[in-house]
Amino acid sequence: MLTLPRYLHTLEQFGTVSTAQELTRLLSGLGQALGFHGIVHGLQSYSRQSGLHVDSTSVISDRWHSHYMQQAYYQIDPRVHHCARHTTPLTWSSIGPCENPRATQMMREAHDFGLRAGIYAPVHSMDGRFSLTCVSLRDVPQAEALDLVRHAAPLLPALAAHAHEAALRLLPGGQRPEVALTQRERECLQWAAAGKTSWEIGLVLSIAERTVNFHLKNAMAKLGCHSRQHAIAKALMQGLIGL
């Protein structure tokens, strides 16, 4: 049985993944432990000129996914295009009828392959890349499939985030130099991690609130984070600050 402590412990293993094969095995094990038949992780980038481009994919042997990639269905998949603009997980049942005839054909073929339900969990980077971790169920009663999806959905964002970081690290040149935060940036993050507001941090450090926000914004940019909470979590994981 996959308990929450065991799940969180397994997520830590993504930090030491050094090959695509290791990433695939780790994803496969977690997908099965969560009760899913298939799991796919794809790192993608987007530009107005070329549209969606798949940078790398860690695939659990899956006939449907091979067909999906051969047909380049990711270019017209409404779920993928939704995830390119959003950050929350998307269940397959959330997507209504497709306007694109080719997308309708894709959904029909997925059903013919036995797929019944699944979840897409997106993660975005500041460099324009984003990844999708997709789990799926095959040949199970619809009610049972939807129930499993509903219970597993809250766990997927953490899995997707760890897989995304591992995939970026495995890309050529993906090993990034250690982030160099200034002492003041570390101090502001440290107090923010303790739950202090910018105003309270300013009182502790004897600096203006706007100066605190300036340092936190710089720290977020260096860490490649969109929010203060994400920057705190990343700084903690990299040992830049402590609790």
Side-chain angles (χ1 to χ4, degrees):
M1 179 180 177
L2 183 64
T3 63
L4 183 58
R6 181 183 168 198
Y7 179 68
L8 296 175
H9 174 71
T10 305
L11 291 180
E12 294 176 0
Q13 298 177 33
F14 281 95
T16 59
V17 164
S18 59
T19 67
Q21 291 76 16
E22 286 182 48
L23 178 56
T24 295
R25 284 196 298 271
L26 191 54
L27 282 167
S28 176
L30 265 180
Q32 292 172 9
L34 288 170
F36 291 93
H37 300 126
I39 181 167
V40 175
H41 178 269
L43 182 64
Q44 308 179 53
S45 56
Y46 175 82
S47 70
R48 291 184 178 180
Q49 291 75 22
S50 58
L52 286 168
H53 171 71
V54 176
D55 294 320
S56 69
T57 307
S58 296
V59 184
I60 312 312
S61 182
D62 185 287
R63 287 173 52 246
W64 162 250
H65 184 262
S66 298
H67 177 72
Y68 182 96
M69 294 300 292
Q70 289 171 1
Q71 298 297 318
Y73 277 149
Y74 56 87
Q75 294 180 347
I76 52 88
D77 190 338
R79 299 165 301 193
V80 173
H81 285 272
H82 174 93
C83 290
R85 304 187 303 274
H86 298 84
T87 59
T88 52
L90 176 74
T91 60
W92 293 9
S93 59
S94 300
I95 295 294
C98 303
E99 297 181 1
N100 186 322
R102 193 157 178 260
T104 301
Q105 176 185 341
M106 175 200 71
M107 301 296 278
R108 186 182 305 116
E109 290 177 1
H111 190 273
D112 292 342
F113 270 82
L115 275 74
R116 295 295 178 264
I119 310 170
Y120 276 42
V123 179
H124 294 260
S125 294
M126 293 185 72
D127 61 2
R129 289 193 179 106
F130 76 98
S131 69
L132 288 176
T133 300
C134 178
V135 291
S136 59
L137 290 163
R138 295 191 308 271
D139 298 320
V140 295
Q142 192 72 14
E144 179 183 335
L146 293 177
D147 187 60
L148 177 57
V149 163
R150 181 170 59 85
H151 284 88
L155 298 174
L156 262 292
L159 170 58
H162 283 78
H164 179 77
E165 291 286 337
L168 284 177
R169 194 173 63 250
L170 294 177
L171 288 176
Q175 193 67 37
R176 298 175 182 175
E178 182 179 349
V179 175
L181 298 180
T182 66
Q183 180 178 348
R184 192 59 96 187
E185 289 164 356
R186 289 175 187 258
E187 289 173 341
C188 290
L189 272 179
Q190 184 73 62
W191 283 110
K196 300 292 186 183
T197 65
S198 294
W199 180 78
E200 291 170 329
I201 296 171
L203 289 181
V204 173
L205 299 179
S206 299
I207 57 179
E209 181 179 0
R210 65 176 180 275
T211 305
V212 173
N213 290 330
F214 171 78
H215 289 306
L216 288 173
K217 185 177 180 180
N218 284 344
M220 287 164 53
K222 290 179 180 180
L223 289 164
C225 299
H226 295 283
S227 69
R228 181 179 302 197
Q229 291 73 21
H230 187 194
I232 291 170
K234 199 165 185 179
L236 285 168
M237 286 196 312
Q238 296 185 14
L240 299 172
I241 61 174
L243 288 178

